[in-house]
Amino acid sequence: MTFKAIVLGTGSAKPTLYRHHAAHVLNVHEQFYLVDCGEGTQLRLLECGINPLRLNGAFISHLHGDHVYGLFPLLSTMGLMGRKTPFAVYAPAPFGEVIGWHYRYFDTNLPFEVVYHEVDTRKHALLYENSVLEVWSLPLRHRMPAAGYLFREKVPPLNVRKEAIDRYRLGIAQITAAKRGEDVVLEEGTVVPNGELTYRPYEPRAYAYCSDTLYSAKVARLVQGVDLLYHEATFATAEKAMARETGHSTAAQAAKCAAQAGAGRLLIGHFSSRYKEMDVLLEEARAVFPATEIAQELAVYDIPVKRTEP
Amino acid sequence: MTFKAIVLGTGSAKPTLYRHHAAHVLNVHEQFYLVDCGEGTQLRLLECGINPLRLNGAFISHLHGDHVYGLFPLLSTMGLMGRKTPFAVYAPAPFGEVIGWHYRYFDTNLPFEVVYHEVDTRKHALLYENSVLEVWSLPLRHRMPAAGYLFREKVPPLNVRKEAIDRYRLGIAQITAAKRGEDVVLEEGTVVPNGELTYRPYEPRAYAYCSDTLYSAKVARLVQGVDLLYHEATFATAEKAMARETGHSTAAQAAKCAAQAGAGRLLIGHFSSRYKEMDVLLEEARAVFPATEIAQELAVYDIPVKRTEP
């Protein structure tokens, strides 16, 4: 029951040798999702051993090149690899047009379908779900329409306690009813409350990706209780005015969001190329939210399963 | 009087961790020209310490993504760096349209002009010249219109021999006449033939880039005497049929081109990702043209100045 984020790039618009353009991979129960896709993403995938054919799709935050230029070469490579499975792309408008333009000149014979889903950047909407996961959009505040993404594990189905089955000699029909959340009536007429029979095997986990954005109190509310918050921290507090002007956050503002959200951990990234050492950014963030880490490229951030009982 | 090629990528369509997408930089008398621009080119430039603002422009061979996807992020980064100098792009049609589409969605405020020059891939035409260099197109044979590029140093101006100036006590007017290639009449009426007074300081050098292409006898003629020939060698002879089908060359065919052209040295590249070791390709090429080398990424291939005299 994997739930982990792999950081592929931590740089901002101007890449450096040590900080590549934005891209994360989410692995949720061994299903893989790409979040943003800056130039060189396919090479970062190679470096961390993730076969692009395993990706279900990509969630693109906004249409600045450093978040999306890597998608076209990735599509081409998946074509060469013979991908047949459709690839979903969630992105703000007018990315559907951009894909159409791309097909006009490149990848004219792509052997798989790219299924575009337009993301309304003003809404907190459910974009995707499967049996274990929901992905929600987060309205960000950037200088162009931008969305963050919240990956939230669904509440898992009830498990029936082994000892309850034994004690009450439950039959198949009774076990099924208990799994549905119902109380169970025993043969002699006693009603056993569902709470005594069942438990949730684990607490749902959540990860949020918030880049590029100014600090947003609304986002902090929407990601309440998130286990791992990735929040951009392009600048230090000394460059606060520039952060505001360019639609970015300082490390302290990222930390403020994490603190208000009651996040488990905060990862900061999307650093301006002006910072060679990350100490100032880390210190400024930790002063507000101690559980902050500098996002490291190719590092895996695991959110361990939180088993409740038994 | 630098004349050197820096190889940024030696892979073909599917990149590997060790072979990036196509891109070369030509440094001719400290003027820099990009040839092809696959994904990640801006990072390779960083790695070899070439400031993108020094690039005069790019010569794009054809519109397959592995030769051009890196151009858009490079334009964006040069914009962020505050480039003001126009950037020339030579590429086959319809690349002008592609640039137009790019502006529609990205780089809407680029602070410099991208000057597009359409390359007719059927012609061997002079595309660009300055005081020391000419760049010519080479008609390639690929499965879409494709051009190679021949960088040829101009014949340098005549130098006047120091000892001739002393011996004949030449004045400024006589020296200038000699530099123009004229014979000189001395005061007493003697005519000194120009050949006795002057010499060419060096032999013009040339580099050709031929990728992607089938073997072409015409190209071999057009690059006659080239000092350094870069020729694609996507496949080994065992995959000759596949080479033909996909519009590519084998290493032996690249070598045949070099031999027929009387090239000084042959660099082979654009290798299929199927080859982990290059021994077979190198052996097959050297059997036909011994002065063959495997192009190495980030290596600098210098063509030393060929001084004639004195």
Side-chain angles (χ1 to χ4, degrees):
Chain A
M1 283 187 300
T2 319
F3 197 107
K4 56 191 177 190
I6 301 112
V7 174
L8 303 183
T10 62
S12 58
K14 196 173 144 197
T16 73
L17 287 179
Y18 314 103
R19 302 212 166 273
H20 296 95
H21 278 161
H24 281 202
V25 172
L26 255 285
N27 172 342
V28 180
H29 295 226
E30 297 307 318
Q31 296 292 311
F32 293 76
Y33 309 90
L34 192 57
V35 187
D36 274 345
C37 190
E39 185 184 20
T41 293
Q42 65 170 324
L43 282 181
R44 302 288 94 66
L45 289 169
L46 263 179
E47 285 182 74
C48 61
I50 297 172
N51 185 334
L53 299 185
R54 296 203 64 184
L55 295 169
N56 288 294
F59 293 83
I60 303 296
S61 62
H62 65 296
L63 305 197
H64 277 149
D66 56 319
H67 293 253
V68 72
Y69 281 150
L71 187 65
F72 308 107
L74 178 63
L75 294 179
S76 299
T77 295
M78 289 192 295
L80 286 172
M81 293 172 86
R83 183 180 182 115
K84 301 280 181 232
T85 315
F87 185 82
V89 175
Y90 294 80
F95 201 63
E97 281 180 33
V98 177
I99 294 172
W101 153 76
H102 175 73
Y103 285 145
R104 184 157 168 183
Y105 301 108
F106 301 99
D107 286 335
T108 43
N109 288 309
L110 212 56
F112 64 95
E113 191 188 358
V114 175
V115 183
Y116 173 62
H117 303 267
E118 188 173 310
V119 175
D120 185 338
T121 59
R122 295 161 305 180
K123 289 191 182 153
H124 176 55
L126 178 64
L127 302 174
Y128 169 84
E129 66 175 321
N130 62 22
S131 60
V132 296
L133 173 71
E134 290 179 351
V135 185
W136 292 78
S137 57
L138 299 167
L140 299 184
R141 295 172 61 206
H142 194 40
R143 57 185 200 275
M144 69 151 58
Y149 295 103
L150 174 65
F151 288 71
R152 196 181 275 292
E153 224 173 10
K154 283 186 176 175
V155 174
L158 291 166
N159 275 9
V160 180
R161 293 178 214 281
K162 177 89 173 62
E163 67 275 14
I165 297 172
D166 296 342
R167 186 186 321 145
Y168 299 114
R169 296 164 188 258
L170 300 179
I172 297 290
Q174 290 166 314
I175 291 172
T176 308
K179 279 189 172 175
R180 280 198 304 266
E182 296 168 14
D183 299 337
V184 164
V185 184
L186 302 180
E187 267 185 26
E188 71 275 23
T190 318
V191 176
V192 187
N194 187 273
E196 199 181 312
L197 300 172
T198 64
Y199 67 98
R200 299 280 171 195
Y202 58 87
E203 291 288 329
R205 294 163 285 180
Y207 152 92
Y209 178 92
C210 299
S211 182
D212 296 353
T213 190
L214 292 163
Y215 161 78
S216 160
K218 183 172 182 181
V219 165
R221 269 199 317 278
L222 293 175
V223 303
Q224 206 57 40
V226 69
D227 297 278
L228 181 64
L229 172 63
Y230 176 79
H231 196 292
E232 73 125 296
T234 309
F235 295 108
T237 301
E239 281 76 42
K240 192 173 177 178
M242 183 176 294
R244 168 153 290 280
E245 194 184 314
T246 57
H248 289 296
S249 300
T250 63
Q253 289 165 339
K256 182 177 166 188
C257 182
Q260 294 192 337
R265 271 196 294 174
L266 169 65
L267 270 186
I268 53 174
H270 199 267
F271 305 117
S272 162
S273 61
R274 76 190 61 205
Y275 305 110
K276 306 306 169 206
E277 302 293 334
M278 296 294 124
D279 304 358
V280 172
L281 292 156
L282 187 59
E283 282 164 22
E284 289 180 357
R286 283 191 172 166
V288 179
F289 187 78
T292 303
E293 292 168 52
I294 296 289
Q296 303 293 339
E297 299 205 352
L298 306 188
V300 178
Y301 296 91
D302 190 32
I303 309 179
V305 68
K306 293 181 283 184
R307 294 200 183 279
T308 44
E309 53 167 332
Chain B
M1 283 186 301
T2 321
F3 197 108
K4 56 191 178 190
I6 302 112
V7 175
L8 304 184
T10 62
S12 57
K14 196 174 145 195
T16 73
L17 286 180
Y18 314 103
R19 302 211 167 272
H20 296 95
H21 279 159
H24 281 202
V25 172
L26 255 284
N27 172 343
V28 180
H29 295 226
E30 297 307 319
Q31 295 291 312
F32 293 76
Y33 309 90
L34 192 57
V35 188
D36 274 344
C37 190
E39 185 184 21
T41 292
Q42 64 169 327
L43 281 181
R44 304 286 95 64
L45 289 169
L46 263 179
E47 284 181 75
C48 60
I50 297 173
N51 184 333
L53 300 185
R54 296 203 64 182
L55 295 169
N56 288 294
F59 294 83
I60 302 296
S61 62
H62 65 297
L63 306 196
H64 278 148
D66 55 319
H67 292 252
V68 73
Y69 281 149
L71 188 64
F72 308 107
L74 179 62
L75 294 178
S76 299
T77 295
M78 290 193 294
L80 286 173
M81 294 171 85
R83 183 180 182 114
K84 301 282 181 229
T85 315
F87 185 83
V89 175
Y90 294 81
F95 201 63
E97 280 180 35
V98 177
I99 294 174
W101 276 96
H102 175 72
Y103 285 146
R104 187 158 167 181
Y105 301 109
F106 300 100
D107 286 337
T108 44
N109 287 308
L110 211 57
F112 64 95
E113 192 188 357
V114 175
V115 184
Y116 173 62
H117 302 268
E118 187 172 310
V119 175
D120 185 338
T121 59
R122 294 158 309 179
K123 288 192 182 153
H124 176 55
L126 178 63
L127 302 174
Y128 169 84
E129 66 175 321
N130 62 24
S131 60
V132 297
L133 173 71
E134 289 178 350
V135 185
W136 292 77
S137 58
L138 299 167
L140 300 184
R141 295 171 61 205
H142 194 41
R143 57 183 199 274
M144 68 151 59
Y149 295 103
L150 175 64
F151 287 71
R152 195 179 276 292
E153 225 172 9
K154 283 185 175 175
V155 174
L158 290 167
N159 276 7
V160 181
R161 291 178 216 280
K162 178 85 175 60
E163 66 278 14
I165 295 172
D166 296 344
R167 186 186 320 145
Y168 298 115
R169 295 163 187 260
L170 299 181
I172 297 291
Q174 290 166 314
I175 291 171
T176 309
K179 279 190 173 175
R180 281 198 302 266
E182 297 168 13
D183 298 339
V184 164
V185 184
L186 301 180
E187 266 183 27
E188 70 274 21
T190 319
V191 175
V192 188
N194 188 274
E196 200 180 310
L197 301 171
T198 63
Y199 67 98
R200 298 280 171 195
Y202 58 87
E203 292 286 331
R205 295 163 284 181
Y207 152 92
Y209 178 93
C210 300
S211 182
D212 297 353
T213 189
L214 292 163
Y215 161 79
S216 160
K218 183 172 182 182
V219 165
R221 270 200 317 280
L222 294 175
V223 303
Q224 205 59 38
V226 70
D227 297 277
L228 181 64
L229 171 63
Y230 176 79
H231 196 292
E232 72 126 294
T234 309
F235 294 107
T237 301
E239 281 76 42
K240 194 173 176 176
M242 184 175 294
R244 166 152 291 282
E245 193 183 314
T246 56
H248 289 295
S249 300
T250 65
Q253 289 165 338
K256 182 177 167 189
C257 182
Q260 294 192 336
R265 272 195 293 174
L266 169 65
L267 270 186
I268 52 174
H270 199 267
F271 305 116
S272 161
S273 61
R274 76 191 60 205
Y275 304 111
K276 306 306 171 209
E277 303 293 333
M278 297 295 124
D279 304 359
V280 172
L281 292 156
L282 187 59
E283 281 165 22
E284 289 180 357
R286 282 190 172 165
V288 178
F289 187 78
T292 303
E293 292 166 54
I294 296 289
Q296 302 293 341
E297 300 205 352
L298 306 188
V300 178
Y301 296 91
D302 190 33
I303 309 178
V305 66
K306 293 181 281 183
R307 295 199 183 279
T308 43
E309 52 167 334

